[in-house]
Amino acid sequence: MSASLEKGLNALREQIDAPVASFFTSCVSCGICAEACLFYQETGDPKYTPIHKLEPMRRIWSNEFTLLGRAKSMLGMGRKVTEQDLADWEELVYDSCTMCGRCTLVCPVGNDITMMIRKMREGMSASGNAPEELVAGAKRHWEKGSPMGDLLPALTAHVKNVEKSTGIQVNVDKKGVDYLVILSAQEVAVYNEVIEALARILDKAGVSWTFSSEAFEGTNVGIQIGSKDLAREFVSRTVNAAEKLKVKGVISPECGHAYQALRWEGPNLIGRTYPFEVVHVIELLDRLRADGRLKTKGMDHAKLTFHDPCQINRRGGINHEPRRLLNMVADNFTETEDAGTMNWCCGGGGGVGSNESATELRLQAFQRKKRQFEAVAPEKIVTMCAYCHHILEESLEHYDMDIEVQGLTELMAEYLEDA
Amino acid sequence: MNNPYFDLLMWARGPGFDIALTIMVGGILLRLVEIFVLGRKKDLAAPKGNGVLQGLRTVFTRSVPRKGAMKEAPVTYIAGYLFHIGFFVAFLFLGAHIALIGDLIGIQWPAANKALIEIATAIAVVALIALLWTRFKDPVRRALSTFDDYLVWVLSILPLVTGYAAVNTMFGDSTLMMAIHMLSAEALMIAFPFTKLMHAVTFAVSRYYNGSIQGRKGAES
């Protein structure tokens, strides 16, 4: 690996733009961001204050991008960022931040701290300070197509099974259909029920779609690790496949970072707009509902609640869609406290869930969700991100809480009319 | 006319004020240029909402705390509001200040009565003390605090206290106190572009960026 301090510092310099400069200039160190942070709230440790997680980047900005800082630097004043600083900050930038975005929404001066963490990670990975699990995941993603290795054989098997059990033909590499469906690696590997659910819903709604054998999963370790070069490569795979198949749209899966990567960062990573639309699967289901093409029958009477994935709601703007869908099929849907835009993170997003060194902290942070779930006491938790799904299951098990977790697409398919 | 502090007051009102104002205005412009020259890349993702509108809206809406946020940091929020309100009432509605601003930019507005100004000043001072207390006592704020934070605290409280003292002829000679009041305000003005006082200008820029980034995605801000 050719990472070095100088590369890291250069990567950070490259990330400093007008918004970053404005944010650092505006900070009055009021500390309110800490109150919004899952990791500070559940540990009480001030080192988890979100704006503090950006200290090395702030120092570079101050030393090199401000008049006073430059004057100080010329006089040999102003603390420089060292190799050790970046090493020390790894825990703060990767293990204790899921880029959930709550701090961004409470900052009184409007600083988008989350966006700066994403930028800070560019410098961390370029200087060789990214967590080894994410680096290994990126390597597998690069070489084998997904951070969980080569998943094509698994997908092919699922496709065959779904065709057999439903009698619906599932296209692979079919040109000219409406949508290219992207899954999350977690769905292909573990929660593959979603494939059958989607096949049935889209078949009923008369939506034509296909998988691509070249790009079928949307996880983007490049975004989690903070490497725009890796992120560009992973997004390009999907873009290329979509262009090759000449689809009108790409369906982004129930996966938080995949949605950020594909829908919002993607065009900026590849430097051009897409010739197709990207729609989140839940957005699409809600559209089909509005058009009367998604019809359900019956109601789930179980007490259920919903977990908002940060990247899809708070940072993705999909808030009312899942609730409209849930209310179609559930008559005992109860929200947790702070549900919706200010929902608390499951604790595993942004790569945190894959960092071994973060496991203890993440489970401690989960206590917030635990208390909220205990207050509602649901029989089932519905969500729309396979990784949240995975983290919720793992954390619930850790705390001996016996609550079922289900993806929203799957729940909708259960109540599909004439199912 | 034979008050020994008269010359000092005259200097503070004349050249001193001009120097401070020049540094403040020039410094702010420079700092803004420093920010804007960095630019930002055009967002190529197809927008879902109107970023510009939401950005502008967020400049105002972010003045109100999110539901439930206030109880997480009551001292910071409440004292923060009280300080800003008190400071600006005292600054903008004292007759002498209005006359000064009127001389500079040619706009005048009605002054508030003395009692209101003094209550506002007292509230701002008490709020600042509460903010300093939470900065010392709360681990998050203590850890975040730098020299800049304490300097700005001192520079903010001095004009309030000295102004109150000068108007009410406290702490000795009122000419001297008025000179000190003006000099302390000038110190605040000079420090403005080079400290976190800049937030009083750039908060609007930051809130705009925040709102526009979220707004393009159709997300709340």
Side-chain angles (χ1 to χ4, degrees):
Chain A
M1 200 123 174
S2 58
S4 71
L5 175 66
E6 205 39 51
K7 271 194 178 169
L9 298 182
N10 279 333
L12 285 175
R13 288 179 188 117
E14 208 184 295
Q15 292 297 322
I16 294 173
D17 56 5
V20 171
S22 161
F23 296 155
F24 283 137
T25 305
S26 298
C27 180
V28 291
S29 54
C30 70
I32 285 172
C33 51
E35 318 296 345
C37 177
L38 181 62
F39 294 93
Y40 168 71
Q41 281 282 336
E42 294 307 311
T43 62
D45 192 332
K47 71 176 174 180
Y48 297 130
T49 302
I51 194 73
H52 173 66
K53 295 171 185 170
L54 295 163
E55 178 57 19
M57 187 154 95
R58 193 201 63 80
R59 222 181 285 158
I60 290 175
W61 162 78
S62 173
N63 288 345
E64 302 177 23
F65 293 81
T66 70
L67 191 72
L68 201 65
R70 276 199 297 261
K72 274 194 198 163
S73 297
M74 275 196 287
L75 296 169
M77 290 153 69
R79 265 182 72 196
K80 289 214 157 33
V81 175
T82 64
E83 188 96 56
Q84 190 59 46
D85 290 330
L86 295 183
D88 291 344
W89 252 261
E90 182 186 322
E91 187 217 350
L92 302 181
V93 179
Y94 289 102
D95 286 1
S96 63
C97 178
T98 57
M99 302 199 276
C100 86
R102 289 185 104 251
C103 50
T104 289
L105 289 200
V106 302
C107 175
V109 293
N111 291 349
D112 189 347
I113 299 172
T114 317
M115 174 263 252
M116 293 200 280
I117 292 276
R118 164 73 184 87
K119 285 170 169 280
M120 173 93 182
R121 287 187 180 188
E122 289 283 335
M124 296 296 282
S125 70
S127 62
N129 287 291
E132 54 184 323
E133 293 88 348
L134 284 179
V135 175
K139 194 161 183 283
R140 281 192 301 273
H141 202 162
W142 187 273
E143 289 165 359
K144 296 183 172 160
S146 111
M148 299 177 91
D150 181 8
L151 291 171
L152 187 58
L155 180 74
T156 311
H158 297 323
V159 165
K160 268 193 197 140
N161 289 338
V162 169
E163 288 190 322
K164 209 185 287 172
S165 66
T166 63
I168 298 167
Q169 193 200 327
V170 177
N171 300 314
V172 178
D173 298 327
K174 185 166 183 190
K175 280 189 184 166
V177 292
D178 293 338
Y179 291 103
L180 167 65
V181 169
I182 299 294
L183 300 171
S184 83
Q186 202 76 30
E187 288 174 327
V188 184
V190 188
Y191 307 121
N192 56 71
E193 309 82 22
V194 74
I195 303 173
E196 181 176 326
L198 208 52
R200 289 177 46 227
I201 292 172
L202 296 182
D203 181 65
K204 262 267 172 316
V207 174
S208 64
W209 64 282
T210 183
F211 279 126
S212 159
S213 59
E214 288 164 18
F216 53 85
E217 76 93 28
T219 316
N220 196 315
V221 189
I223 283 184
Q224 297 170 332
I225 202 169
S227 162
K228 58 180 175 8
D229 298 329
L230 287 174
R232 183 189 309 118
E233 161 64 22
F234 301 145
V235 162
S236 297
R237 291 177 186 175
T238 303
V239 175
N240 294 342
E243 288 179 339
K244 203 160 130 186
L245 297 171
K246 299 186 167 45
V247 291
K248 286 186 220 132
V250 170
I251 300 179
S252 183
E254 288 194 16
C255 171
H257 281 86
Y259 182 61
Q260 284 299 323
L262 213 52
R263 176 68 176 90
W264 301 112
E265 279 208 35
N268 299 306
L269 287 164
I270 64 170
R272 62 185 170 88
T273 54
Y274 294 155
F276 51 82
E277 77 155 343
V278 175
V279 59
H280 187 268
V281 60
I282 297 305
E283 246 180 324
L284 178 69
L285 296 194
D286 188 52
R287 269 191 221 167
L288 296 174
R289 174 202 61 81
D291 295 347
R293 292 162 73 187
L294 171 63
K295 291 201 181 90
T296 57
K297 198 173 76 182
M299 283 277 179
D300 197 322
H301 304 303
K303 187 171 193 183
L304 52 82
T305 194
F306 186 67
H307 167 76
D308 287 283
C310 310
Q311 303 303 321
I312 298 175
N313 186 337
R314 185 160 41 250
R315 295 191 72 74
I318 299 176
N319 184 7
H320 303 295
E321 293 87 340
R323 292 175 165 81
R324 284 194 289 260
L325 293 168
L326 266 169
N327 284 323
M328 261 177 104
V329 298
D331 56 13
N332 196 1
F333 164 38
T334 311
E335 296 271 23
T336 56
E337 201 190 348
D338 303 322
T341 302
M342 287 308 278
N343 188 45
W344 291 90
C345 177
C346 67
V352 172
S354 64
N355 301 342
E356 192 95 41
S357 54
T359 307
E360 204 181 313
L361 181 63
R362 159 167 77 75
L363 287 166
Q364 192 181 347
F366 184 75
Q367 295 194 21
R368 171 67 59 152
K369 288 252 61 142
K370 178 175 176 278
R371 288 196 299 275
Q372 295 193 320
F373 289 144
E374 281 167 349
V376 172
E379 289 163 66
K380 183 153 70 180
I381 300 163
V382 180
T383 190
M384 52 176 174
C385 165
Y387 204 69
C388 290
H389 187 160
H390 163 69
I391 293 291
L392 288 172
E393 276 186 348
E394 206 183 274
S395 310
L396 289 167
E397 196 190 318
H398 176 82
Y399 287 108
D400 288 321
M401 293 168 79
D402 189 22
I403 309 173
E404 186 195 348
V405 184
Q406 191 177 35
L408 181 52
T409 305
E410 206 193 320
L411 176 70
M412 295 310 293
E414 268 181 28
Y415 292 92
L416 203 57
E417 195 177 52
D418 302 321
Chain B
M1 271 299 166
N2 49 10
N3 187 312
Y5 304 116
F6 187 75
D7 286 347
L8 181 64
L9 179 61
M10 283 301 117
W11 187 85
R13 294 182 60 141
F17 184 79
D18 292 342
I19 293 168
L21 188 66
T22 308
I23 294 178
M24 180 168 124
V25 174
I28 290 174
L29 290 175
L30 210 71
R31 290 300 307 275
L32 287 176
V33 169
E34 202 172 81
I35 291 168
F36 292 122
V37 289
L38 293 170
R40 72 164 165 166
K41 283 198 186 119
K42 187 173 182 284
D43 191 344
L44 297 170
K48 198 175 154 184
N50 189 323
V52 176
L53 265 183
Q54 191 165 325
L56 293 174
R57 210 166 37 230
T58 305
V59 174
F60 300 96
T61 56
R62 194 54 72 91
S63 304
V64 182
R66 230 156 236 290
K67 188 173 151 272
M70 188 96 98
K71 68 172 191 293
E72 300 287 349
V75 179
T76 303
Y77 271 112
I78 296 168
Y81 277 116
L82 291 178
F83 163 69
H84 282 89
I85 294 168
F87 188 92
F88 281 107
V89 167
F91 172 50
L92 292 176
F93 293 101
L94 180 82
H97 293 165
I98 296 170
L100 178 72
I101 298 168
D103 279 351
L104 281 174
I105 56 173
I107 313 172
Q108 300 263 4
W109 56 88
N113 69 34
K114 188 165 173 272
L116 181 69
I117 299 291
E118 293 191 347
I119 292 168
T121 308
I123 288 174
V125 168
V126 171
L128 271 177
I129 292 167
L131 288 169
L132 184 67
W133 175 77
T134 187
R135 218 170 250 298
F136 279 137
K137 198 168 172 295
D138 179 79
V140 168
R141 281 144 196 99
R142 192 170 57 227
L144 280 179
S145 299
T146 60
F147 175 73
D148 187 86
D149 295 298
Y150 297 111
L151 174 70
V152 166
W153 187 88
V154 171
L155 291 175
S156 304
I157 203 165
L158 276 180
L160 290 164
V161 173
T162 55
Y164 189 94
V167 171
N168 291 289
T169 335
M170 291 160 74
F171 311 130
D173 191 277
S174 67
T175 306
L176 174 63
M177 199 40 78
M178 188 52 76
I180 293 177
H181 172 62
M182 292 223 57
L183 291 172
S184 71
E186 285 155 20
L188 182 79
M189 289 162 73
I190 291 169
F192 191 107
F194 309 107
T195 58
K196 70 169 182 179
L197 287 165
M198 264 304 281
H199 82 276
V201 173
T202 56
F203 81 96
V205 182
S206 296
R207 286 182 184 179
Y208 172 79
Y209 282 137
N210 185 310
S212 71
I213 294 166
Q214 290 284 104
R216 273 185 72 91
K217 296 179 180 178
E220 285 180 36
S221 61

